[in-house]
Amino acid sequence: MMTRIGLGYDIHRLVPGRKLVIGGETIPFEKGLLGHSDADVLVHAACDALLGAVGMGDIGDHFPDTDPRYRNIYSIDLLTAVYRRVSASGMELVNLDATVFAQAPRISPYKDRMAARMADSMSVDKRMISIKATTTEGLGAIGHGDGIAAMCVVLLQSTRPATGN
Ligand code: MG
């Protein structure tokens, strides 16, 4: 059985006057992430991990932030599109593991719903999705509340029968 691993990382700036959307969940907070899309840092990291695993470039290659079609787009819809491309290449998700780095707000109350939304968007079992969260103990740009980052790894397996032996 052929397997592939993929890695994704993303960071967005926190600014006033934007909705905060992480893992497809809208989180009540006085600031939101700045970006061309909804700036869903976790979903962007997941998209990059999936694309990386199949060697299909990154999210910017597929959905350029200069394209007006993707302005303020709900990134969960991009994850659906990315996973469709991954599936078409003959691979399926084994598991996805991600960490969100945020000093505030507290992410942990939303982790379960984020996992459910991301699983739904790919039509996979929610148990394949693990979302974790941490602060950076007040250190650096994230610790100062300037932004939120996310990292994600995925493991994929081939959906096609192995050839040869
Ligand atoms: Mg991004």
Side-chain angles (χ1 to χ4, degrees):
M1 177 69 69
M2 187 188 55
T3 57
R4 306 274 300 212
I5 189 169
L7 166 73
Y9 173 82
D10 196 24
I11 184 165
H12 282 267
R13 191 179 289 273
L14 269 175
V15 295
R18 291 267 303 180
K19 228 172 38 162
L20 179 60
V21 182
I22 304 178
E25 280 291 305
T26 299
I27 301 175
F29 193 53
E30 75 248 23
K31 293 178 177 177
L33 294 172
L34 181 64
H36 182 68
S37 65
D38 63 0
D40 190 327
V41 69
L42 171 58
V43 168
H44 292 180
C47 287
D48 265 0
L50 288 164
L51 290 168
V54 292
M56 287 174 65
D58 61 33
I59 190 171
D61 297 331
H62 292 258
F63 312 105
D65 65 6
T66 49
D67 190 328
R69 276 181 301 172
Y70 305 123
R71 192 169 173 74
N72 289 322
I73 196 170
Y74 186 41
S75 294
I76 280 281
D77 293 340
L78 302 182
L79 183 59
T80 302
V82 163
Y83 193 65
R84 218 172 268 143
R85 289 173 201 191
V86 166
S87 303
S89 82
M91 301 296 286
E92 66 183 2
L93 188 66
V94 177
N95 73 305
L96 178 157
D97 186 28
T99 302
V100 178
F101 301 81
Q103 197 62 37
R106 270 175 59 75
I107 301 299
S108 44
Y110 303 95
K111 289 186 300 189
D112 255 25
R113 271 180 286 165
M114 290 174 181
R117 276 192 194 271
M118 291 170 67
D120 268 5
S121 77
M122 295 183 281
S123 303
V124 300
D125 193 310
K126 182 178 167 257
R127 288 169 298 184
M128 294 175 174
I129 312 290
S130 154
I131 308 296
K132 312 182 302 300
T134 186
T135 69
T136 61
E137 300 283 339
L139 295 168
I142 292 166
H144 294 142
D146 297 337
I148 292 178
M151 274 184 206
C152 181
V153 289
V154 296
L155 185 69
L156 306 181
Q157 68 185 3
S158 172
T159 52
R160 294 178 183 142
T163 51
N165 51 28

